[in-house]
Amino acid sequence: MRLHESSQHSDPTGEAVGRERNADATRADLLKAAKRRFTVYGFERTTVREIAADAGANVSLINRYFGSKDGLLAAVLAETALVFDGRPTVGAARPETVVDELLAGMAPDAWPEFGHENPLVLLLRDAAGDEATANLRRRTLDAVIERFAGDIASGDTGGGSVPGDEARLRGALLFAMMIGVVSLHSALPDNAFDVTDSPRLRSMLTEIAASITRTDVTG
């Protein structure tokens, strides 16, 4: 018996109970395994058999719970989107906040649910999946940019308020800076970003972020 499974027993109507709980646990295990595999290896290099083996489940259950490998990817991306959804806009683009979140996400023990890779890697690794999945990916990435843009437009990052189009451009550039650092760190773990507690690295990243978000910073 798998550790998370419980023995079934009957309720007064004679129906087995515990089955739904086991199904929910198995579905969660498949999602967890897929999240790690897709993030670390990519969609194309991951097989449904590998995911099922990691989850300790029958491979046929992927089709039962998710319809297909594409459906499983869509479910993983939907969960990944929750990492970015609901975060407050106020203060989101402050240079110190951006750098704090960026460096914390690059620590060796960060994101265990994603195989210790930043979830941005999953969103950017490839364009696999059907159109609905691609739209979900785009919406999630766009939501991060809009979160930054909203904070920049308000003037919260310093230097006064910024018009909407310029705020969005600055938000996109700030996100691009983060993506570049995360992507290089993922591709080359022993690179210059490996020492995430370096005061010099923090100082330089903060300076770059400030140059993007603050209108009163000039080069």
Side-chain angles (χ1 to χ4, degrees):
M1 178 180 292
R2 298 173 64 202
L3 292 179
H4 68 267
E5 292 180 341
S6 59
S7 300
Q8 295 183 7
H9 58 279
S10 296
D11 67 12
T13 67
E15 293 293 328
V17 297
R19 184 174 299 159
E20 182 178 353
R21 180 165 59 250
N22 292 340
D24 288 345
T26 300
R27 186 181 188 281
D29 285 348
L30 288 168
L31 269 174
K32 181 179 179 180
K35 193 182 296 181
R36 290 178 176 174
R37 285 272 177 184
F38 289 157
T39 305
V40 175
Y41 300 109
F43 180 83
E44 297 295 344
R45 292 175 58 196
T46 296
T47 69
V48 291
R49 291 190 179 278
E50 289 170 334
I51 293 170
D54 288 351
N58 190 296
V59 69
S60 66
L61 294 178
I62 291 177
N63 284 340
R64 177 184 297 180
Y65 297 138
F66 305 100
S68 64
K69 184 182 175 184
D70 280 343
L72 179 55
L73 175 61
V76 167
L77 287 177
E79 281 208 348
T80 303
L82 296 177
V83 173
F84 304 101
D85 287 346
R87 292 187 176 185
T89 296
V90 176
R94 291 174 187 166
E96 297 79 6
T97 301
V98 170
V99 173
D100 283 347
E101 291 187 357
L102 177 60
L103 294 181
M106 290 164 54
D109 59 348
W111 306 113
E113 67 273 35
F114 290 92
H116 297 288
E117 289 275 15
N118 193 299
L120 285 174
V121 175
L122 173 60
L123 293 170
L124 298 165
R125 182 174 288 281
D126 52 42
D130 57 19
E131 185 61 25
T133 302
N135 287 335
L136 176 60
R137 190 193 307 269
R138 285 193 292 268
R139 287 198 304 272
T140 302
L141 294 172
D142 195 57
V144 178
I145 294 174
E146 289 298 334
R147 176 170 166 256
F148 288 154
D151 193 40
I152 293 169
S154 72
D156 183 70
T157 58
S161 60
V162 177
D165 288 347
E166 183 177 342
R168 181 172 172 78
L169 174 59
R170 288 173 181 263
L173 286 171
L174 183 63
F175 193 31
M177 183 272 287
M178 294 179 63
I179 288 171
V181 172
V182 168
S183 297
L184 182 59
H185 182 68
S186 175
L188 300 171
D190 297 325
N191 60 66
F193 303 142
D194 189 43
V195 185
T196 57
D197 60 351
S198 163
R200 183 59 177 154
L201 176 60
R202 178 178 294 276
S203 173
M204 293 182 73
L205 287 173
T206 302
E207 183 178 342
I208 293 169
S211 72
I212 294 171
T213 62
R214 296 182 57 178
T215 58
D216 62 344
V217 175
T218 57

